[in-house]
């Protein structure tokens, strides 16, 4: 594949800016970044090679008839457009005039007709006085094709009192342009920049006054990675709320010496990698962490000492975060400041026949929760949940080496790992009496169930996925689900299926064998 010479005369088309490559454009309601300017034989004239924010707008990967003109992140994310069809946007001041001054003038000069009489609009001067540009505190320029700051220092003279600025879905191409706008707004506290594509600055601290008062920043759907966010973070020394959903964040590295004032962090709808959440666990002021729709299936804080992990107050997990194992909930107990938890529609809670039982189990396992799924956990709710939890797992505790006599109370390490709060609850309430203990119910998973999908189960499914299937099909409780099986070839012997990561066929289960499911 040939690569063309991308060195093109900057004056080939009078409508094009000299720095067109890398600039942002709008065309037919879609936004993209110019990656190429030049001719595309055999056609005549100039073309712009555009990588679109929405890859569905594109047609190819930047290639045409065997020649690679530019590169796209998505194989169908690019296309060529004529310069006259693309808008390179307007500066901030032009957008302000269009958005506010023209609206005010139209209202003041408008005449309306009521019945057969024409009535002039009067009495609106006092209202529109508040809308005068120099008095604005909230500026909303969403989807206004803002691409540059405009003449030097004019923003400071035009909108000096802005507290909230909305520049979502515009044509700004780099953080330097954003800083050129915001450094002229000395009181700016909230900045909305979602649905933009911004190049990381070469020196994030070159303009220290650009975000000196910024507290809230929204960067939803900006194609950002976590390292890029950390590289930009020195620009926001006082930032308290960061909304970074729908980006390209996968692995989380520790935010050393940055983002230390964050209280709210939204990482929802990012393809997070299991095992990296602890990296942000040491943010000292973090109170609200949203990780919904990230696909996380496990959560581990293995190297966390008590009181060391500060992710707290509010943790949100939602549908598609496939938590099938209560051990994940046990890990949340290590979050010393966690008092609010949202996990609506999570499969873990749907495993119980009675949704109230699942809620009780969760409350009992996380000792500091004050609110669950926006429902306040009252003291009597917690007491009831913890007492029922002690009764529910009392027999298992005794079987593992637990004892009502504290001197003889030595439950196994396995039980303690599965129920890390159980010992403290026994100390708090005392051990349950024999009459209060709840026995496990065995359930025989007969061959008919296996035969319906035998090839799938026996040839490919690991035990953990089999358990997930059982939760959904049979609606059995999700607390400590245990599988075993009996075979006609080994009369009187029950074999435990004890490794969730092994495929079912590892245990040599055959037609006619009986799988037993036990739960509390």
């Amino acid at each position: 594949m040939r690569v063309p010479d991308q060195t093109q005369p900057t004056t080939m088309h009078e409508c094009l800016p000299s720095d067109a490559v890398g600039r942002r454009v709008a065309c037919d309601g879609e936004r993209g970044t110019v990656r190429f300017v030049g001719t595309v034989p055999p056609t005549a004239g100039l073309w712009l090679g555009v990588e679109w924010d929405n890859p569905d707008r594109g047609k190819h990967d930047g290639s045409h008839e065997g020649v690679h003109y530019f590169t796209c992140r998505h194989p169908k994310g690019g296309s060529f457009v004529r310069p006259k069809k693309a808008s390179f946007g307007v500066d901030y001041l032009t957008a302000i005039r269009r958005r506010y001054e023209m609206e005010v003038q139209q209202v003041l000069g408008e005449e309306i007709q009521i019945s057969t009489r024409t009535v002039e609009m009067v009495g609106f001067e006092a209202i529109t006085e508040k809308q005068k540009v120099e008095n604005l505190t909230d500026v909303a320029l969403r989807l206004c094709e803002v691409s540059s700051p405009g003449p030097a220092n004019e923003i400071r003279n035009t909108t000096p009192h802005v507290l909230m600025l909305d520049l979502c879905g515009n044509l700004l191409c780099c953080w330097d342009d954003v800083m050129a706008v915001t450094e002229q707004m000395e009181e700016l506290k909230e900045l909305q920049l979602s649905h933009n594509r911004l190049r990381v600055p070469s020196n994030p601290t070159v303009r220290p006054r650009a975000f000196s008062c910024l507290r809230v920043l929204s960067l939803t759907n900006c194609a950002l990675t976590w390292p890029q966010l950390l590289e930009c973070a020195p620009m926001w020394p006082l930032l308290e709320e960061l909304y970074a959903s729908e980006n390209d964040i996968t692995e989380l590295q520790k935010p050393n010496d940055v983002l230390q004032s964050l209280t709210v962090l939204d990482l929802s709808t990012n393809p997070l990698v299991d095992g990296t959440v602890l990296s942000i666990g040491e943010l000292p002021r973090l109170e609200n962490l949203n990780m919904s729709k990230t696909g996380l299936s496990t959560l581990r804080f293995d190297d966390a000492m008590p009181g060391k992990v500060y992710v707290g107050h509010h943790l949100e997990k939602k549908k598609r975060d496939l938590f099938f194992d209560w051990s994940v909930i046990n890990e949340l107990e290590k979050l010393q400041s966690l008092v609010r938890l949202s996990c609506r529609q999570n499969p873990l809670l749907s495993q119980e026949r009675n949704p109230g039982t699942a809620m009780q189990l969760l409350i009992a396992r996380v000792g500091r929760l004050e609110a669950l799924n926006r429902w306040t956990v009252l003291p009597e709710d917690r007491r009831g949940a913890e007492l029922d939890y002690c009764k529910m797992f009392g027999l298992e505790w005794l079987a593992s080496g637990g004892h009502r006599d504290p001197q003889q109370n030595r439950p196994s390490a396995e039980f303690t790992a599965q129920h890390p709060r159980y010992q403290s609850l026994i100390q708090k309430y005392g051990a349950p009496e024999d009459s209060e203990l709840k026995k496990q119910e065995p359930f025989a998973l007969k061959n008919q169930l296996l035969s319906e999908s035998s090839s799938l189960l026996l040839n490919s499914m690991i035990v953990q996925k089999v358990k997930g299937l059982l939760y959904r099909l049979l609606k059995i409780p999700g607390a400590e689900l245990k599988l075993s099986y009996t075979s006609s070839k080994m009369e009187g012997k029950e074999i435990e299926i004890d490794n969730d990561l092994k495929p079912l066929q590892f245990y040599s289960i055959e037609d006619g064998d009986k799988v037993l499911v036990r739960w509390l």
Side-chain angles (χ1 to χ4, degrees):
M1 177 178 287
R2 292 190 301 110
V3 178
D5 180 7
Q6 296 196 36
T7 304
Q8 301 290 339
T10 58
T11 58
M12 291 182 71
H13 197 288
E14 60 181 6
C15 297
L16 284 179
S18 59
D19 58 347
V21 174
R23 290 281 298 273
R24 302 273 293 158
V25 293
C27 180
D28 297 329
E30 299 284 353
R31 295 180 302 279
T33 303
V34 177
R35 302 297 187 194
F36 170 82
V37 178
T39 57
V40 182
T43 61
L46 274 182
W47 290 92
L48 301 181
V50 180
E51 180 183 9
W52 301 101
D53 296 356
N54 176 14
D56 293 338
R57 168 64 175 80
K59 297 179 179 179
H60 49 69
D61 65 350
S63 302
H64 179 68
E65 294 189 355
V67 180
H68 192 71
Y69 291 90
F70 62 96
T71 301
C72 293
R73 298 170 60 200
H74 192 279
K76 295 287 186 180
S79 68
F80 294 101
V81 298
R82 292 294 189 182
K84 65 181 180 181
K85 293 188 64 177
S87 168
F88 282 85
V90 298
D91 62 51
Y92 172 89
L93 295 171
T94 299
I96 280 285
R97 286 191 292 269
R98 289 179 179 177
R99 173 69 177 82
Y100 290 98
E101 292 182 355
M102 289 184 177
E103 288 184 2
V104 171
Q105 293 169 5
Q106 288 170 0
V107 169
L108 287 176
E110 187 175 3
E111 293 182 345
I112 62 174
Q113 189 160 340
I114 301 177
S115 184
T116 58
R117 297 184 179 183
T118 299
V119 180
E120 185 178 357
M121 298 289 286
V122 296
F124 279 79
E125 290 81 357
I127 297 176
T128 56
E129 178 69 23
K130 295 182 180 180
Q131 282 189 265
K132 285 186 176 180
V133 171
E134 61 268 25
N135 296 327
L136 291 174
T137 57
D138 291 1
V139 171
L141 295 177
R142 182 177 294 236
L143 300 174
C144 288
E145 298 189 3
V146 178
S147 61
S148 63
N153 295 318
E154 282 301 309
I155 294 176
R156 181 177 287 107
N157 299 327
T158 307
T159 53
H161 304 298
V162 177
L163 300 176
M164 191 287 294
L165 176 61
D166 185 347
L167 290 174
C168 293
N170 278 282
L171 302 181
L172 295 161
C173 64
C174 60
W175 277 100
D176 292 318
D177 287 341
V178 176
M179 288 189 284
V181 172
T182 59
E183 71 176 352
Q184 301 180 60
M185 301 174 177
E186 297 179 359
E187 303 173 54
L188 184 67
K189 288 181 169 55
E190 179 177 348
L191 179 59
Q192 304 284 335
L193 284 174
S194 299
H195 304 282
N196 283 292
R197 300 291 184 268
L198 301 168
R199 291 195 301 273
V200 176
S202 56
N203 184 356
T205 59
V206 68
R207 297 182 178 183
R209 301 183 63 180
F211 305 107
S212 59
C213 294
L214 192 67
R215 299 296 192 273
V216 180
L217 177 61
S218 178
L219 294 171
T220 297
N221 194 350
C222 289
L224 289 167
T225 64
W226 187 250
Q228 288 173 335
L229 271 176
L230 294 184
E231 194 173 345
C232 294
M235 295 189 291
W236 321 310
L238 301 179
L239 194 65
E240 297 175 357
E241 300 181 21
L242 176 59
Y243 299 90
S245 63
E246 300 178 34
N247 280 289
D248 296 330
I249 299 172
T250 54
E251 297 188 15
L252 301 173
Q253 292 81 37
K254 289 185 179 181
N256 296 323
D257 300 322
V258 293
L259 303 179
Q260 297 299 298
S261 57
L262 271 191
T263 60
V264 176
L265 178 59
D266 183 358
L267 297 175
S268 61
T269 322
N270 278 290
L272 296 183
V273 175
D274 286 338
T276 66
V277 176
L278 185 60
S279 300
I280 58 173
E282 296 185 1
L283 289 176
R285 299 182 183 179
L286 192 61
E287 298 177 356
N288 294 272
L289 175 62
N290 187 345
M291 295 187 297
S292 64
K293 299 181 182 178
T294 57
L296 288 176
S297 58
T298 62
L299 196 61
R300 292 286 185 271
F301 301 122
D302 294 335
D303 60 346
M305 299 296 292
K308 183 73 172 177
V309 183
Y310 297 103
V311 179
H313 287 347
H314 183 195
L315 178 65
E316 185 157 353
K317 298 293 299 174
K318 288 186 178 179
K319 196 174 183 179
R320 296 191 188 92
D321 298 308
L322 306 179
F323 284 180
F324 288 119
D325 194 340
W326 283 101
S327 64
V328 174
I329 302 301
N330 293 339
E331 290 293 307
L332 300 182
E333 174 65 11
K334 297 177 182 178
L335 304 182
Q336 297 296 307
S337 301
L338 182 64
V339 295
R340 295 194 299 274
L341 175 65
S342 298
C343 53
R344 296 181 298 276
Q345 301 180 18
N346 195 286
L348 185 62
L349 299 185
S350 65
Q351 294 164 8
E352 298 293 337
R353 286 175 178 169
N354 184 350
T357 302
M359 298 280 280
Q360 282 191 313
L361 287 171
L362 208 155
I363 291 169
R365 288 174 184 266
V366 185
R368 285 168 292 277
L369 280 187
E370 297 175 3
L372 176 58
N373 293 343
R374 299 184 179 179
W375 171 63
T376 301
V377 179
L378 300 175
E380 55 266 31
D381 297 325
R382 172 160 296 285
R383 176 179 173 82
E386 292 176 345
L387 283 171
D388 281 348
Y389 181 77
C390 291
K391 298 172 186 177
M392 186 175 292
F393 296 98
L395 285 175
E396 188 175 342
W397 169 67
L398 291 172
S400 73
H403 200 281
R404 293 183 177 87
D405 182 352
Q407 301 298 323
Q408 302 181 55
N409 181 24
R410 297 182 184 87
S412 67
E414 180 183 2
F415 178 87
T416 302
Q418 293 174 350
H419 305 278
R421 293 202 69 220
Y422 198 88
Q423 289 289 85
S424 63
L425 293 178
I426 291 297
Q427 294 174 5
K428 181 178 180 180
Y429 298 110
E433 299 296 329
D434 289 340
S435 60
E436 298 176 313
L437 299 179
K438 299 181 180 181
K439 296 182 179 180
Q440 291 183 325
E441 301 177 31
F443 174 82
L445 180 62
K446 297 184 178 179
N447 190 52
Q448 286 82 352
L449 176 61
L450 287 176
S451 64
E452 291 180 7
S453 55
S454 58
S455 62
L456 177 62
L457 286 172
L458 296 177
N459 295 328
S460 64
M461 293 188 73
I462 63 174
V463 172
Q464 185 178 31
K465 290 187 176 180
V466 174
K467 288 182 178 180
L469 178 64
L470 289 170
Y471 290 145
R472 295 192 297 272
L473 292 180
L474 304 178
K475 303 297 182 182
I476 58 177
E480 310 305 331
L481 184 66
K482 293 186 176 181
L483 301 183
S484 60
Y485 79 96
T486 59
S487 172
S488 58
K489 295 181 180 180
M490 295 178 285
E491 291 289 343
K493 186 174 183 180
E494 184 176 327
I495 302 168
E496 186 177 359
I497 302 174
D498 57 358
N499 191 331
D500 284 357
L501 299 181
K502 294 289 187 182
L504 200 60
Q505 63 181 0
F506 173 81
Y507 294 94
S508 302
I509 299 176
E510 301 176 352
D511 288 344
D513 293 347
K514 182 182 291 185
V515 176
L516 302 176
V517 182
R518 287 185 173 86
W519 69 94
L520 292 173

